[in-house]
Amino acid sequence: MIPLKRPLSHPSFIFNKSNSKSLRSLIKNTRSTNETFSSPIPIFYFKFSDSTMPIFAANSSSFSRVNTHFPDSINQPTLTSKAQTFPQIRTFCVKRTNPNAELSASNDIPIVSTVSGPIQTSQPIDAGSSMRKPISLWPGMYHSPVTNALWEARSSMFEKSFAEKDSQTELVAKTPSMSRTSIAYKFSSDYILREQYKNPWDEMRMGKLLEDLDALAGTISYKHCRKDDGATRPILLVTASVDKMVLKKPIRVDFDLKISGAVTWVGRSSMEIQMEVTQSTPDSPDPSDSVALVANFTFVARDSKTGKSAPLNQILPETEHEKLLWKEAEERNKMRKQKRVAEKKDVDNRDEDRLNTLLAEGRVFCDMPALADRDSILIRDTRHENSLMCQPQQRNIHGRIFGGFLMRKASELAFSNAYAFAGAAPCFMEVDHVDFFKPVDVGNFLRFKSCVLYTELENPMKPLINVEVVAHVTRPELRCSEVSNKFYFTFTVRPEAMKEGLKIRNVVPATEEEARRVLERMDAERSQ
């Protein structure tokens, strides 16, 4: 056995020299044509040094003659930098699930680093049993293995809804437990999955987690709308809003993580889904201390033909905990309605003294920049933007852009903005209430505009950086631009960076419009 000379960072490859002569004879026999050859002879093996990683065996089961890169001399079976493409088939040991199994209400979805092909049948997919294949380009497929698995399961429900149109008549009452679904992230044992979710500082990419939360909430909403026979009425379920999410403790990317959720409240055409992100670490082995994040998603139902509001299956809470969650959700729904009414009132009655106080330093920056406070900066000087075309690969099963995709893009831009502003890697703290004003369609030109709205410097060891991200849906051919979403993120900086002398600057508005935005955000924070 001669080790290959091609350097690899993690695995090691071993070339099987003993079978090279018989393999070369197969190659010589095909030189006159472009046909392929097959051989049961293993060409090479590769394995990870870590005992927890899988062992792959690559065989010459279907190699084209023109794609083989072997040296002319049998005595030099090495791969050089000029021959970097080497066809291989990876054999994995995977546990096959029953293809006739239905998605149960208490289903746990173990997520590993798998990306599967498009679903051909109506049964849901268990992501833990899928083969690792290239990412396919069909609706709802993203670089997150969680969204892949959830969209496969949801697509199966969606397909059955059109196949069984007799099931769209009556509504049924369902319990929260019937829609409860969990996702298990095996970060401690799945190295490749861990690589997909960590950022350059070996921390959790919160944008991807927000995307997964929205995908799971959507799947839960579809489960609630299903009948016992598995059919779903032809309705559209879209994310209407997301309540404020506060990170209760840091989420680590080297320990297993779990997301679970269920429908907790249902109105006539809207429903609320509560999600919990839990993680047990050596610092918090107690299950009561394992909750890292709680999120409440509101979905609305629309008739797929008319676009009008559609009635939903009602909810029947059984346990005392489910009844308590229902009451809390009812109160939140009333507060949302009151907030919408309050926002329609005239905002010109604000305290003029507060506006003038905010604008005082900004006017110095504009009129006498040489005398401006060097520890302050104008809001307009913290702006960052990101633009993209909405591609078909980012659409959901209804043909519109997935709400979780927008949340991830906004989160990543806000993180970058806070990083450039602070001069050190920021730490996610919370994301405020999110409303989805306008749908985003394939082909739209989407612009994300962000800025640091204000900072809170009362605690010098834990300064708060409040970042605003506004998503604009732009249609150049129609010469129009509309606001789709507004996101408000709060970040902080590690105490170690502050101890090293890092200073966070104060942010001041330069216009009355900017000052009003700052006051609105400050008042919204105090009211929660």
Side-chain angles (χ1 to χ4, degrees):
M1 301 289 283
I2 303 175
L4 296 178
K5 295 182 179 179
R6 179 184 180 183
L8 292 171
S9 59
H10 191 15
S12 59
F13 287 79
I14 302 298
F15 189 89
N16 194 346
K17 180 182 176 183
S18 59
N19 295 324
S20 59
K21 289 185 177 180
S22 56
L23 182 60
R24 174 162 293 281
S25 63
L26 287 172
I27 299 174
K28 288 182 178 179
N29 293 334
T30 61
R31 283 187 173 175
S32 59
T33 64
N34 285 332
E35 60 189 296
T36 61
F37 67 90
S38 299
S39 171
I41 304 170
I43 298 177
F44 63 88
Y45 301 93
F46 99 87
K47 62 181 180 179
F48 293 94
S49 58
D50 186 355
S51 60
T52 62
M53 299 302 295
I55 297 177
F56 309 121
N59 294 320
S60 58
S61 58
S62 181
F63 288 173
S64 172
R65 182 189 66 82
V66 297
N67 285 331
T68 53
H69 296 275
F70 290 96
D72 293 333
S73 173
I74 290 295
N75 295 326
Q76 298 177 352
T78 61
L79 290 181
T80 65
S81 59
K82 295 182 180 180
Q84 294 182 354
T85 56
F86 195 94
Q88 54 183 293
I89 295 177
R90 299 181 178 178
T91 305
F92 295 79
C93 294
V94 293
K95 183 179 179 181
R96 297 290 183 184
T97 56
N98 182 3
N100 298 319
E102 290 292 334
L103 184 62
S104 63
S106 60
N107 140 7
D108 262 12
I109 305 178
I111 299 298
V112 297
S113 51
T114 56
V115 183
S116 56
I119 184 168
Q120 301 296 334
T121 57
S122 60
Q123 72 270 13
I125 297 295
D126 179 3
S129 64
S130 302
M131 296 290 288
R132 304 182 186 215
K133 300 178 182 179
I135 293 177
S136 301
L137 303 180
W138 76 87
M141 292 298 103
Y142 304 97
H143 292 277
S144 165
V146 175
T147 51
N148 289 349
L150 291 174
W151 275 109
E152 285 181 357
R154 199 187 306 182
S155 297
S156 66
M157 304 180 209
F158 186 75
E159 291 168 2
K160 196 166 186 178
S161 69
F162 283 90
E164 302 183 12
K165 295 184 178 180
D166 296 336
S167 302
Q168 50 178 290
T169 53
E170 75 250 16
L171 297 172
V172 296
K174 306 185 78 172
T175 63
S177 60
M178 298 176 71
S179 63
R180 181 166 294 279
T181 309
S182 300
I183 296 178
Y185 297 76
K186 301 297 183 182
F187 287 137
S188 62
S189 57
D190 195 326
Y191 168 79
I192 301 178
L193 179 67
R194 194 162 65 242
E195 285 293 307
Q196 294 183 61
Y197 280 83
K198 75 175 185 179
N199 65 17
W201 298 272
D202 291 332
E203 296 173 347
M204 172 64 68
R205 286 180 61 186
M206 293 303 300
K208 289 184 74 68
L209 190 61
L210 294 177
E211 184 179 34
D212 293 349
L213 285 168
D214 186 74
L216 178 57
T219 299
I220 291 172
S221 67
Y222 269 86
K223 288 183 68 176
H224 179 77
C225 295
R226 288 205 311 174
K227 292 186 63 178
D228 294 337
D229 60 359
T232 308
R233 295 181 301 116
I235 58 176
L236 306 179
L237 293 170
V238 295
T239 310
S241 64
V242 184
D243 283 353
K244 183 176 183 177
M245 289 182 276
V246 180
L247 191 65
K248 298 183 177 181
K249 68 172 189 175
I251 298 177
R252 298 181 58 174
V253 77
D254 52 347
F255 286 90
D256 292 347
L257 186 74
K258 184 177 182 180
I259 300 178
S260 59
V263 176
T264 55
W265 176 89
V266 176
R268 181 190 174 275
S269 59
S270 61
M271 70 177 80
E272 183 175 297
I273 299 162
Q274 185 170 98
M275 320 280 290
E276 278 191 352
V277 180
T278 57
Q279 185 179 61
S280 296
T281 61
D283 300 333
S284 58
D286 189 355
S288 61
D289 299 331
S290 62
V291 178
L293 185 72
V294 177
N296 296 303
F297 286 75
T298 301
F299 277 72
V300 294
R302 295 288 182 265
D303 187 276
S304 60
K305 296 180 180 178
T306 65
K308 298 181 179 180
S309 61
L312 292 169
N313 294 333
Q314 289 302 300
I315 194 79
L316 286 177
E318 294 178 315
T319 66
E320 291 300 322
H321 180 63
E322 291 174 349
K323 293 177 181 178
L324 177 62
L325 292 178
W326 186 90
K327 291 180 181 179
E328 292 175 351
E330 179 73 14
E331 289 298 323
R332 283 191 294 270
N333 184 59
K334 292 179 180 179
M335 290 180 62
R336 292 190 199 103
K337 292 180 179 179
Q338 295 173 0
K339 183 180 179 182
R340 284 194 291 266
V341 173
E343 287 175 349
K344 294 180 181 178
K345 295 181 179 180
D346 190 5
V347 296
D348 291 335
N349 296 324
R350 290 191 178 276
D351 188 356
E352 291 297 328
D353 292 338
R354 298 175 66 196
L355 278 175
N356 291 328
T357 301
L358 279 175
L359 287 169
E361 187 61 34
R363 288 170 180 151
V364 175
F365 266 94
C366 297
D367 299 334
M368 299 172 287
L371 303 178
D373 183 5
R374 296 301 175 234
D375 291 331
S376 299
I377 186 174
L378 293 176
I379 290 178
R380 67 190 184 196
D381 292 331
T382 67
R383 292 174 181 168
H384 288 266
E385 292 190 16
N386 185 20
S387 302
L388 57 93
M389 287 297 301
C390 297
Q391 304 293 347
Q393 295 78 26
Q394 296 151 0
R395 73 190 188 276
N396 58 22
I397 55 180
H398 302 307
R400 283 180 167 161
I401 301 304
F402 173 41
F405 172 80
L406 302 177
M407 294 177 67
R408 176 167 64 87
K409 286 295 183 181
S411 173
E412 291 174 348
L413 178 59
F415 184 95
S416 301
N417 197 331
Y419 186 23
F421 172 78
C427 299
F428 173 86
M429 294 287 292
E430 64 183 51
V431 54
D432 202 2
H433 181 91
V434 179
D435 286 310
F436 291 80
F437 302 117
K438 298 287 183 181
V440 183
D441 296 317
V442 173
N444 285 163
F445 180 50
L446 196 60
R447 298 184 68 186
F448 291 93
K449 301 180 181 181
S450 72
C451 67
V452 178
L453 208 53
Y454 65 97
T455 56
E456 300 175 64
L457 308 177
E458 288 80 8
N459 185 353
M461 297 307 296
K462 192 177 181 180
L464 299 182
I465 305 170
N466 294 272
V467 181
E468 176 191 63
V469 180
V470 182
H472 295 260
V473 179
T474 305
R475 300 176 183 176
E477 66 275 10
L478 301 179
R479 299 178 63 209
C480 69
S481 178
E482 297 178 298
V483 174
S484 171
N485 308 87
K486 288 185 177 180
F487 305 89
Y488 298 95
F489 298 89
T490 302
F491 298 90
T492 187
V493 181
R494 295 177 183 83
E496 303 82 50
M498 302 304 297
K499 292 178 181 178
E500 293 174 358
L502 180 68
K503 292 188 66 175
I504 301 299
R505 303 170 77 178
N506 185 40
V507 181
V508 295
T511 65
E512 187 173 328
E513 183 270 336
E514 290 178 345
R516 291 188 183 280
R517 282 161 50 198
V518 173
L519 287 179
E520 288 176 3
R521 288 309 311 153
M522 289 181 173
D523 292 342
E525 286 290 330
R526 293 191 184 100
S527 64
Q528 295 175 359

